[in-house]
């Protein structure tokens, strides 16, 4: 079908109207999409700026736990450093191997004895000689009689009592029991360690003084906490 020029000028083409209407619809669609995207962006940005409360709480708890772990590790490290320094100090002071100083220090603490007293006791009793044997058959570092040692470990043999850690552990445990018996009176406990608890108690019951200079020798230079 053909249209004349006059018909085209007088009556706008339906095609032009359709294109114009489509352009308006396309523009509206683009605008709506842009606004929707902008709203989503604002929402996403808001979530990043203000995270959920439970997430923040979880992160705080994790941070607190890591801080506590770090503080605990630091405290352990300080104790280990202090222990090493003390052991080296005793090793140098008494001119003994570090492994012996370490055993005396650790076992004294584990048995509730001040390491200062522990080292002095071993010094006076045996001068740090592992095979020391007295005329009364007291043996090893802490000069224990076999009968006394067997009170703590029945069936213990003489060779076992000469073992370093065994001798130190039983000797310090014996002293700790005496400290308990005499209400942490170190002087009386040491005299009883040297003379025997039965003999010391008998002297005390008679109103006498069992002191014989032994406690003073062990405690020389030691400042006791009252």
């Amino acid at each position: 079908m053909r249209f004349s020029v006059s018909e085209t000028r007088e009556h706008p083409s339906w095609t032009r109207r359709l294109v114009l209407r489509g352009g308006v619809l396309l523009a509206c669609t683009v605008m709506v999409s842009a606004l929707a995207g902008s709203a989503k962006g604002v929402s996403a940005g808001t979530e990043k700026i203000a995270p959920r409360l439970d997430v923040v709480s979880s992160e705080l708890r994790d941070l607190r736990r890591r801080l506590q772990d770090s503080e605990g590790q630091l405290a352990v490290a300080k104790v280990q450093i202090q222990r090493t320094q003390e052991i080296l100090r005793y090793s140098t002071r008494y001119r003994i191997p570090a492994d012996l100083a370490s055993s005396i220090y650790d076992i004294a603490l584990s048995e509730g004895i001040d390491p200062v007293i522990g080292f002095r006791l071993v010094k006076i009793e045996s001068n740090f000689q592992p095979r020391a044997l007295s005329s009364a058959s007291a043996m090893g570092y802490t000069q224990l009689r076999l009968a006394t040692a067997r009170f703590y470990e029945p069936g213990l043999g003489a060779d076992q009592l000469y073992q370093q850690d065994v001798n130190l552990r039983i000797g310090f445990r014996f002293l700790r029991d005496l400290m308990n018996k005499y209400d942490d009176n170190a002087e009386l406990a040491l005299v009883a360690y040297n003379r025997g608890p039965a003999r010391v108690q008998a002297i005390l019951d008679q109103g006498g003084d069992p002191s014989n200079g032994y406690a003073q020798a062990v405690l020389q230079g030691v400042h006791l906490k009252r």
Side-chain angles (χ1 to χ4, degrees), residues 43-53 56:
S43 177
T46 303
E47 289 181 358
K48 291 180 181 179
I49 294 173
R52 294 192 339 232
L53 182 59
V56 175

Side-chain angles (χ1 to χ4, degrees), residues 11 18 33 35 69 83 88 99 101 107 114-115 127 147-148 165 174 178 193 196 207:
H11 302 284
L18 182 61
S33 298
L35 290 174
D69 290 344
R83 172 184 176 273
L88 290 176
D99 63 333
I107 295 173
D114 190 326
N127 197 29
T148 302
D165 288 2
F174 179 37
L178 293 172
Y193 186 97

Side-chain angles (χ1 to χ4, degrees), residues 107 126 129-134 136-174 193:
I107 295 173
S126 64
Q129 298 303 311
R131 303 294 297 185
L133 179 65
S134 75
S137 298
M139 307 162 63
Y141 289 113
T142 60
Q143 290 291 278
L144 285 172
R145 291 184 177 183
L146 193 56
T148 302
R150 283 176 175 169
F151 174 80
Y152 292 94
E153 294 191 19
L156 188 75
D159 289 342
Q160 292 173 294
L161 188 53
Y162 274 121
Q163 293 176 10
Q164 176 178 289
D165 288 2
V166 172
N167 191 282
L168 292 170
R169 185 179 68 255
I170 298 177
F172 292 156
R173 187 168 299 176
F174 179 37
Y193 186 97

Side-chain angles (χ1 to χ4, degrees), residues 16-30:
R16 292 175 61 190
R17 290 198 302 270
L18 182 61
V19 169
L20 181 60
R21 188 175 300 171
V24 172
L25 289 174
L26 179 60
C28 291
T29 301
V30 171

